[in-house]
């Protein structure tokens, strides 16, 4: 079912308010204020502010270009072509090319009037300020994405837990398939989650601790790369042994460390104790047992990196918890 989003509502409301204000002020071409508002409504506060600043600069530049070109060549189609020939590369050079459309609106006003007086320039600047100012006011309201981010965290952590359980099962019984559909699903979830977290960051003119959510998903993404290597290592294991059974239990219990508030330091110590225990065990007697032991040591090394990432993340954001 189609749902009208907040951006659509703000665009509709903002454009009508901009036209009303411009018309009430007695500005010529007052409808253009609504067009400028539509062009400047963006998904986030930060993007909206950047867009408005770029478009204002582009509009002021077009007024200057029009004054020079129209004064030299006159008000004719050739002048429009020559003006755009120099104006557009200038915007590209200044990296404000998104202001082309809004500038074209001002340019065509001046071309239609066939004159540039102080009152006309003031009128155009007033239209720019009304249209883009209303857009900024509309974008002061942005719905919070914190609930959506929280849901993504829960879904991703749940996927990680499921992967741990699958790895645990495989370590106990290598005959099980080590292919994990959940890996691809988690990758897709992380991509969506990062986009939402990035939007939440850009909904603040001054950057705040909202970076924590984005960094959290980046951490999970790096951890997922480690899990991919572990899954690849599992394919080497042909038989289970005492070491694989112990490590299987470790993965089974690992779900408890996925809580965002848990540092994972305890799990690192547990992993160190497991490694010491393995070193004190008798050497393998068969080639398969040797391959299993080697694979398990590689997994332990990978999991140490996995848990250290979580510990560093918690240390970085300890004050915000």
């Amino acid at each position: 079912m189609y749902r009208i989003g907040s951006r659509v509502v703000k665009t509709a409301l903002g454009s009508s308010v901009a036209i009303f204000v411009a018309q009430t002020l007695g500005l010529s071409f007052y409808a253009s204020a609504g067009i400028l508002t539509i062009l400047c409504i963006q998904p986030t506060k930060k993007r909206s502010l950047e867009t408005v600043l770029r478009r204002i600069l582009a509009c002021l530049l077009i007024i200057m270009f029009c004054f020079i070109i129209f004064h030299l060549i006159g008000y004719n189609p050739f002048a429009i072509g020559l003006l755009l020939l120099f104006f557009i590369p200038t915007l590209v050079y200044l990296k404000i090319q998104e202001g082309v459309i809004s500038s074209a609106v001002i340019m065509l006003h001046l071309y239609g009037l066939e004159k540039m007086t102080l009152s006309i320039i003031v009128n155009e600047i007033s239209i720019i300020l009304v249209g883009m100012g209303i857009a900024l006011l509309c974008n002061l309201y942005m719905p919070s994405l914190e609930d959506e981010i929280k849901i993504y965290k829960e879904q991703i952590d749940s996927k990680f837990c499921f992967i741990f359980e699958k790895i645990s099962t495989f370590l106990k019984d290598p005959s099980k398939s080590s292919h994990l559909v959940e890996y691809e699903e988690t990758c897709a979830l992380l991509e969506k989650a990062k986009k939402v977290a990035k939007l939440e960051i850009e909904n603040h003119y001054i950057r705040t601790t909202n970076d924590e959510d984005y960094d959290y998903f980046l951490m999970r993404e790096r951890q997922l790369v480690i899990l991919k290597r572990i899954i690849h290592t599992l394919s080497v294991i042909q038989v289970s042994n005492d070491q694989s059974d112990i490590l299987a239990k470790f993965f089974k219990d690992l779900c408890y460390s996925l809580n965002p508030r848990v540092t994972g330091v305890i799990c690192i110590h547990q992993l160190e104790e497991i490694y010491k225990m393995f070193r004190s065990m008798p050497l393998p007697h068969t080639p398969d047992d040797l391959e299993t032991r080697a694979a398990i040591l590689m997994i332990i090394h990978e999991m140490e990196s996995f848990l250290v990432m979580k510990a560093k993340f918690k240390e970085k954001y300890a004050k915000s918890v």
Side-chain angles (χ1 to χ4, degrees):
M1 182 178 178
Y2 178 75
R3 186 174 68 90
I4 298 176
S6 62
R7 187 180 175 188
V8 175
V9 174
K10 286 188 290 186
T11 301
L13 180 63
S15 59
S16 60
V17 170
I19 293 171
F20 173 77
V21 172
Q23 190 172 5
T24 302
L25 293 174
L27 300 177
S28 301
F29 305 108
Y30 53 80
S32 298
I35 296 174
L36 294 176
T37 299
I38 293 171
L39 291 172
C40 293
I41 294 289
Q42 297 294 318
T44 66
K45 292 180 182 178
K46 182 181 177 183
R47 209 175 299 177
S48 180
L49 179 60
E50 291 173 348
T51 298
V52 166
L53 293 176
R54 291 192 187 105
R55 291 187 190 278
I56 287 177
L57 179 56
C59 288
L60 294 177
L61 281 173
I62 197 65
I63 292 174
M64 183 179 69
F65 270 73
C66 285
F67 182 81
I68 296 171
I69 299 296
F70 290 153
H71 178 72
L72 294 174
I73 302 176
Y75 294 85
N76 56 69
F78 178 72
I80 293 291
L82 188 63
L83 197 156
L84 293 175
L85 186 64
F86 289 100
F87 180 67
I88 294 176
T90 302
L91 293 188
V92 173
Y93 176 77
L94 296 173
K95 297 180 180 179
I96 55 173
Q97 57 268 29
E98 62 186 305
V100 170
I101 304 299
S102 52
S103 303
V105 173
I106 305 302
M107 177 188 68
L108 294 175
H109 287 175
L110 299 174
Y111 178 76
L113 292 170
E114 296 189 359
K115 60 181 178 179
M116 288 185 67
T117 63
L118 181 60
S119 61
I120 289 175
I121 293 174
V122 170
N123 181 84
E124 295 303 313
I125 292 176
S126 298
I127 289 174
I128 294 167
L129 294 178
V130 169
M132 298 187 185
I134 295 297
L136 279 179
L137 288 175
C138 288
N139 264 10
L140 286 177
Y141 167 74
M142 283 291 177
S144 175
L145 299 173
E146 290 183 1
D147 290 341
E148 189 174 352
I149 289 172
K150 183 179 179 182
I151 291 172
Y152 272 119
K153 283 184 177 181
E154 291 172 353
Q155 290 177 338
I156 290 167
D157 289 350
S158 177
K159 291 290 183 183
F160 268 72
C161 190
F162 198 86
I163 291 173
F164 289 154
E165 289 178 352
K166 281 285 190 73
I167 292 174
S168 175
T169 301
F170 182 82
L171 285 168
K172 288 182 179 179
D173 184 5
S175 64
K176 301 285 186 181
S177 173
S178 60
H179 175 70
L180 290 175
V181 178
E182 291 74 21
Y183 174 80
E184 288 79 10
E185 293 174 349
T186 310
C187 286
L189 272 176
L190 280 167
E191 283 301 316
K192 294 177 182 177
K194 283 194 302 178
K195 289 178 182 178
V196 174
K198 195 70 174 176
L199 285 176
E200 181 66 8
I201 290 173
E202 292 184 356
N203 274 338
H204 297 79
Y205 292 126
I206 301 174
R207 298 187 69 156
T208 64
T209 53
N210 286 337
D211 287 16
E212 180 179 354
D213 294 325
Y214 186 73
D215 285 349
Y216 182 82
F217 295 128
L218 285 180
M219 176 200 67
R220 287 297 187 217
E221 193 173 49
R222 291 192 292 268
Q223 286 182 322
L224 195 62
V225 172
I226 292 176
L227 288 182
K228 184 178 182 180
R229 293 199 296 264
I230 289 175
I231 293 168
H232 178 73
T233 303
L234 288 174
S235 62
V236 177
I237 299 177
Q238 300 297 322
V239 296
S240 62
N241 56 20
D242 293 340
Q243 290 82 16
S244 64
D245 288 342
I246 293 171
L247 197 59
K249 185 179 185 306
F250 173 78
F251 273 100
K252 189 74 174 178
D253 297 337
L254 203 56
C255 291
Y256 298 106
S257 71
L258 288 176
N259 188 307
R261 294 183 177 275
V262 177
T263 62
V265 173
I266 295 177
C267 292
I268 293 175
H269 292 319
Q270 289 177 341
L271 203 61
E272 290 173 351
E273 292 299 320
I274 290 173
Y275 179 72
K276 291 178 182 178
M277 186 192 308
F278 287 177
R279 286 180 64 86
S280 65
M281 288 182 174
L283 294 174
H285 299 291
T286 65
D288 287 343
D289 196 29
L290 178 62
E291 286 184 348
T292 299
R293 182 79 69 92
I296 286 173
L297 291 177
M298 287 179 64
I299 292 172
I300 289 175
H301 176 72
E302 294 285 10
M303 283 308 300
E304 184 180 8
S305 300
F306 181 99
L307 295 169
V308 166
M309 283 182 188
K310 178 66 177 294
K312 287 182 177 179
F313 172 81
K314 291 305 300 178
E315 182 180 356
K316 180 180 178 181
Y317 291 103
K319 295 181 180 179
S320 64
V321 177

